[in-house]
Amino acid sequence: MSSEYTRERKRHVVFALDELAPGTSRVAELGRRRILVVRDENGALHALSNLCPHQGGPLSGGSVERMWEADRPGEHRRSASRTVAVCPWHNFETDVSTGCSVWEPRPLRAATYRAEVEDGDVVVYV
Ligand code: FES
């Protein structure tokens, strides 16, 4: 892992893209921070705090999956575009793109960070 500063955030090369298959996640430990890096099933990268916005559970201990959506009761399907991290403590779902809790009406939100692919590596700006 290597790091350098940019104007606004510190740049961290966290792992090779090959080490993060679509539909999976890994934790990057950056100093005292633990960042959950997600590559969704469409291949897009997301980075957010590993602390659940509900009560601080470790999001990396749960699952990462496409969000369930429904137009009416009794009919549901997996979202084509939204991915959530499901916390192992109380099953709250956090949208990995926004860091927002899906079900909690209060504004619960995990910090999110920019994640890019650069020269075959996953780079996170924290
Ligand atoms: S701490 Fe994550 S759902 Fe409660």
Side-chain angles (χ1 to χ4, degrees), residues 3 13 19 24-25 46 65 69 73 103 107 109:
S3 304
V13 177
E19 299 175 87
T24 67
S25 63
H46 311 274
E65 55 192 60
E69 294 178 331
W103 299 111
R109 186 172 182 270

Side-chain angles (χ1 to χ4, degrees), residues 34-46:
R34 292 173 55 86
I35 307 299
L36 185 68
V37 182
V38 176
R39 187 176 180 193
D40 68 26
E41 292 183 16
N42 296 325
L45 291 174
H46 311 274

Side-chain angles (χ1 to χ4, degrees), residues 52 54-57 87 89-92:
C52 175
H54 179 227
Q55 292 180 354
C87 180
W89 285 8
H90 314 103
N91 295 320
F92 275 44

Side-chain angles (χ1 to χ4, degrees), residues 38-107:
V38 176
R39 187 176 180 193
D40 68 26
E41 292 183 16
N42 296 325
L45 291 174
H46 311 274
L48 63 158
S49 168
N50 192 46
L51 296 176
C52 175
H54 179 227
Q55 292 180 354
L59 293 178
S60 58
S63 62
V64 170
E65 55 192 60
R66 290 181 184 231
M67 191 176 85
W68 285 105
E69 294 178 331
D71 295 325
R72 62 182 67 119
E75 292 183 17
H76 55 280
R77 65 187 176 287
R78 293 286 187 175
S79 172
S81 60
R82 294 182 71 188
T83 299
V84 293
V86 182
C87 180
W89 285 8
H90 314 103
N91 295 320
F92 275 44
E93 297 177 348
T94 299
D95 186 315
V96 299
S97 297
T98 63
C100 292
S101 173
V102 172
W103 299 111
E104 177 60 49
R106 293 178 292 146

